[in-house]
Amino acid sequence: MSGVFSPSRAKIAVRTLRTDRWWLQPAITVAVLVSFIIYATIRAFEAKFYFAEPLISPFYSPCLTSACPTNGSLLGQPFGTIAIFGMVISPALFILIFPLGFRMTCYYYRKAYYRSFWQSPPACAVAEPHKTYTGETRAPLILQNGHRWFFFAGLIFNVLLSIDAVLAFRNAEGQWGHMSIGTLVLLTNATLLWLYSASCHTCRHTIGGRLKHFSQHPLRYKLWTWVSVLNHKHPTFAWISLFGVALTDVYVRAVSSGSISNLYFF
Amino acid sequence: MARKLNMRIWRGDSVDGALQDVQVEANEGEVVLDVIHRVQATQMGDLAVRWNCKAGKCGSCSMEINGKPRLACMTQVASYGEEETITVTPLRAFPVIKDLVTDVSFNYKKAMEIPAYAPPSDLKPGEARMQQVDVERSQEFRKCIECFLCQDTCHVIRDHEENKKSFAGPRFFIRIAELDMHPLDTLRNRKQTAQEEHGLGMCNITKCCTEVCPEHIRITDNAIIPMKERVVDVKYDPVRWLGSKIRKREGIV
């Protein structure tokens, strides 16, 4: 008998006396994240309908293997064909490692999945089901301390996806000076990803949080105050940027598969 | 307008106890501590409850109301439905003494384990000078009233009694952060000891401490996560570690 049922604590037989619907938020979190994981997995293995000149899905950018269309990346196809036991590996599987790592180690998502998936705890003042707890002091969870490396990798992807959005100001023939719904979709996606990264706790720390004397670094202090404002909205940016990535892929897939045509404004 | 309020109050001690039903009058504008006092005055003369200021500033009347850690003096009766029964129990993370009073000495022991503020050795009384921008982060943490609701709700010790020996808890993580961010504090190993002796790594940042703080201190975002990042700087980041060796400084200026 441990925790709230320890001998010295008040003798109360139930794990919580909360009367509100404390289970709702973790349930929604599980539903949304599982849905995203299923969708992303299907799309990563599908390995087609991810490119429709000039649009490319964020799941497949930068597309650097010979499985990609030749005009799918400004960086060419430096990795050639990657195959295991004769099976060509989808380029998305290599790309998704980095954004997945960034989100898995994100301080906000950690809260979300520790509560909802691991029930540690499922909600505040609701006893968790585990007998022991060591937090993030041992492998594998001690690796959460590597969040900053995924943050920096995420910045590289943000740059690449921003370039994709700029390239989307072309038409299907590669001529500049055009704009379509796809352009807006890619721009929105890149903007949301920048907001998610800029509001990140590691960004806040790197930009100025680690300083002891703000007064000696006025520029970094100013940047820190801006990032701190964004940091208040980090959970919001975490969710809407996740939806943004999925919906961008849905749109590119729909255009690439011919289900819809990419409407051009000019 | 007065109304009849149905309450369940936990009565007992460290050996045994149970929730007891009681009906009490509640007037408009009253808080839960008011009706507990009315119960004490009219029906349960020996009901033990700890309280002091009735203004949300002393942190004495911490208890759990409908399962949530709260200050009884800051919880409006009107925030619950007309037909709703209000259940009041002692804090469930600490040993109970009697009725709604718990033994929170764990927190005072932990407070003694945190190394005190260490100003420069040559700083004489009255000579300390600090810029406002350098102290405002620490000032947020000085709002703490030591109600220990954050300690009560923290599952690391609430759900695992065995962790109490190695985990200081959110109240003391804000104390460590306050000192580590203090412009005149000279103690260099606060980050290492936060991780190695006070159990910062046990925290899995589920933010319950922030949710229950009656002073609205952003414990997780402004203290615990910044301290976790500072720990990464000195323990888990080889680039920063190398930089600190080359430039002969801790890496934090």
Side-chain angles (χ1 to χ4, degrees), chain B residues 16 18 40 172 182 184 212:
Chain B
D16 204 3
Q40 194 182 44
F172 300 104
H182 195 289
L184 292 181
V212 302

Side-chain angles (χ1 to χ4, degrees), chain A residues 24-42 59 99-100 103-106 108-118 196 235 237-243 246:
Chain A
L24 185 61
Q25 192 171 9
I28 291 171
T29 304
V30 167
V32 172
L33 288 181
V34 166
S35 303
F36 180 83
I37 290 166
I38 291 170
Y39 177 77
T41 305
I42 291 170
F59 286 178
L100 181 69
R103 288 183 189 259
M104 285 285 285
T105 57
C106 164
Y108 170 70
Y109 279 109
R110 275 145 77 176
K111 171 203 164 185
Y113 66 73
Y114 283 141
R115 280 197 188 192
S116 55
F117 284 86
W118 196 241
Y196 173 54
F237 293 136
W239 285 119
I240 61 174
S241 64
L242 189 76
F243 292 132

Side-chain angles (χ1 to χ4, degrees), chain A residues 92-108:
Chain A
L93 295 178
F94 301 103
I95 293 163
L96 288 178
I97 292 168
F98 298 98
L100 181 69
F102 184 36
R103 288 183 189 259
M104 285 285 285
T105 57
C106 164
Y107 286 101
Y108 170 70

